[in-house]
Amino acid sequence: METAKLVVAVVENDPGMLKALGRLLRAAGYMAQLYASAELYLQRDDRSDISCLILDIDLGGLSGIELQQMLVGAGSAPPIVFVTSQMDGGMEAAAQRLGCLAYLRKPFASQDLLAALQQAASHH
């Protein structure tokens, strides 16, 4: 599938990381939608088909895990890749129980993230 047609949403509360992920995605040919919180993601007007959701765990308000639970519960969860500095194995286990595609710890290699996105594209 052509990556330029794939929309990847990023929910990350660190402005520098959010900007860097947006640049990486665009450079790799994806359409990036950037959100500074789970609440902003849920309020978005653009209901376009999201190929993959990149989520941080600790977002200040609603956590990435809580957002994943809501989306899975509503039956509207795209493939999810977590990017986090959390070293909590319980969080990783919870994310995987809910079906996350990948769980990457910061700092992660950009090629690891891009490989997970390729995997998401093949499921799309």
Side-chain angles (χ1 to χ4, degrees), residues 79-96:
I80 295 174
V81 174
F82 279 100
V83 293
T84 184
S85 52
Q86 299 270 328
M87 292 300 170
D88 182 341
M91 287 286 191
E92 183 173 358
Q96 289 175 337

Side-chain angles (χ1 to χ4, degrees), residues 12-23:
E12 166 65 69
N13 66 335
D14 175 328
M17 181 59 125
L18 187 63
K19 193 173 177 181
L21 286 169
R23 275 196 309 263

